[in-house]
Amino acid sequence: MAFDVQTVSDRLQGRAVLWMEETDSTMNDAARLAAMGALSGTVVGAERQTAGQGRLGRNWHSESGLGLYPSLILRVSLPPDHLPIATMALGLAAAEAITSTTGVAVDLRWPNDVLVGDRKVCGILVQQHHDALICGIGINVNQVAFPDELAPIATSLRIAAGREFPREALFIELMQSIDRHIEILLNQGKEPILKLFTQASSYVTGRRVVVEQGEVLLRGTTAGLDDSGFLVLQEDDGKRTLILAGGVRPA
Ligand code: BTN
């Protein structure tokens, strides 16, 4: 069903919600709008993306009318070292919105993938453009299947729950949940977000993982988050390594 942008705008008073049938990537649209001075909270979505962007230069599969592919402009004044925590706050917000709207239980994989079991249902990409953060959130909502290369690692809320979900309620809750989590970060600092993430994610402590660091694969057990939100890895050879970026997967 077509996304009912009017209902969504009415419920999200004071926020500009722009919706398109097709775009290359809403990240690009939001960055352009930010450069033109769009207000914090402005969000742009599309029914399909022809060049959806994922983390680490990957593509984000954006099938028409079945997922949510919004990018949100946030103008928040955060010290540069709070940026990884802001992305974790977005992951927490997405996880909370998904579970409260659909009842589907989710996990968080550092830094901000939302999983059902060990399959990804939502991914988040944050880019800084001058004084604005462009926050792209991709949620697999009503897909019934994925291309072969994604099938073993991706899922949708429909596959997980065995029923379809209206995207509007989830989108409204997502925006409200992001507002709440960013407020926590702005008003109370990093600690509550680090604590919430540690509680919500099975990946932060005691998890056997493989971490891709460019060409190198590190193997070990996760040992918590440092003050900046980076993942501590106790490597099998005894070294403790701080993971700043990169793909983390179960060993
Ligand atoms: C990831 O690799 O996990 C991040 C995926 C981010 C996808 C979203 S969909 C909306 C926005 N537009 C894009 O092109 N990417 C982000």
Side-chain angles (χ1 to χ4, degrees), residues 200-214:
S201 169
S202 76
Y203 275 79
V204 170
T205 37
R207 184 80 187 247
R208 294 278 312 149
V209 292
V210 177
V211 184
E212 270 176 51
Q213 296 282 272

Side-chain angles (χ1 to χ4, degrees), residues 15-184:
R15 178 195 301 273
V17 182
L18 305 154
W19 214 265
M20 291 168 295
E21 198 50 38
E22 178 182 295
T23 188
D24 53 356
S25 161
T26 59
M27 294 297 287
N28 296 338
D29 299 305
R32 266 194 299 271
L33 287 166
M36 287 160 53
L39 295 177
S40 187
T42 300
V43 60
V44 52
E47 289 299 88
R48 63 178 164 277
Q49 300 184 117
T50 54
Q53 303 166 30
R55 284 177 63 236
L56 310 171
R58 296 184 187 128
N59 178 58
W60 186 260
H61 177 68
S62 310
E63 197 174 342
S64 187
L66 297 180
L68 284 171
Y69 318 115
S71 292
L72 168 70
I73 299 171
L74 284 182
R75 297 185 191 277
V76 284
S77 86
L78 285 171
D81 73 324
H82 278 50
L83 209 57
I85 319 263
T87 77
M88 294 165 86
L90 290 165
L92 280 164
E96 196 175 290
I98 287 171
T99 300
S100 68
T101 313
T102 67
V104 173
V106 295
D107 191 6
L108 279 160
R109 180 172 56 197
W110 184 91
N112 52 16
D113 290 341
V114 184
L115 309 177
V116 174
D118 58 2
R119 290 177 187 221
K120 189 152 152 176
V121 77
C122 164
I124 291 162
L125 182 65
V126 182
Q127 294 174 348
Q128 181 133 30
H129 283 259
H130 307 287
D131 60 343
L133 293 182
I134 308 299
C135 310
I137 304 115
I139 306 183
N140 300 331
V141 186
N142 288 322
Q143 288 89 341
V144 289
F146 289 90
D148 286 352
E149 68 280 11
L150 293 178
I153 54 171
T155 193
S156 72
L157 296 170
R158 179 173 177 173
I159 293 170
R163 65 186 175 97
E164 265 186 85
F165 293 101
R167 289 175 296 154
E168 291 81 358
L170 176 56
F171 179 79
I172 292 165
E173 186 52 38
L174 175 67
M175 292 300 119
Q176 292 173 338
S177 182
I178 290 175
D179 285 352
R180 286 195 300 274
H181 285 84
I182 294 296
E183 277 299 299
I184 293 175

